[in-house]
Amino acid sequence: MCLGVPGRVSAVDDSSGLTMGTVDFGGVQRQVCLAYVPDVRIGEYVVVHVGFAISRLDEAEALRTLQLLQAMGDLLERELTPEAGA
């Protein structure tokens, strides 16, 4: 299943020439490419698909979506942990 998951940007680093950042998905943190949302700021929410932030999202919508995913059981965990989905 392909899924875009909302997360909160907690760090941004563009020192390598490619904007990367740490995104928090309700306690699970992952490194994400932020090149498609170059003006994103710490604290904003983004939709992440296969390691790339593909769009910004307002906080209310992000939290609503995370609640729905959590209600679906361990789907969020499987999506964010490749080893678990294999």
Side-chain angles (χ1 to χ4, degrees):
M1 171 190 288
C2 293
L3 186 62
V5 180
R8 184 177 173 274
V9 177
S10 58
V12 176
D13 177 23
D14 59 1
S15 63
S16 68
L18 180 64
T19 306
M20 298 292 292
T22 303
V23 176
D24 186 299
F25 302 93
V28 177
Q29 294 193 355
R30 294 285 183 255
Q31 285 298 112
V32 170
C33 178
L34 300 174
Y36 297 131
V37 287
D39 296 327
V40 72
R41 296 174 189 225
I42 293 173
E44 292 184 319
Y45 284 82
V46 292
V47 175
V48 177
H49 178 66
V50 294
F52 292 87
I54 56 175
S55 65
R56 286 190 200 163
L57 189 63
D58 69 69
E59 182 176 12
E61 185 64 26
L63 295 176
R64 241 185 335 267
T65 302
L66 285 170
Q67 287 175 341
L68 286 171
L69 290 172
Q70 289 169 349
M72 297 171 84
D74 67 341
L75 178 63
L76 180 60
E77 174 95 19
R78 287 193 318 240
E79 183 67 22
L80 295 174
T81 310
E83 304 82 44

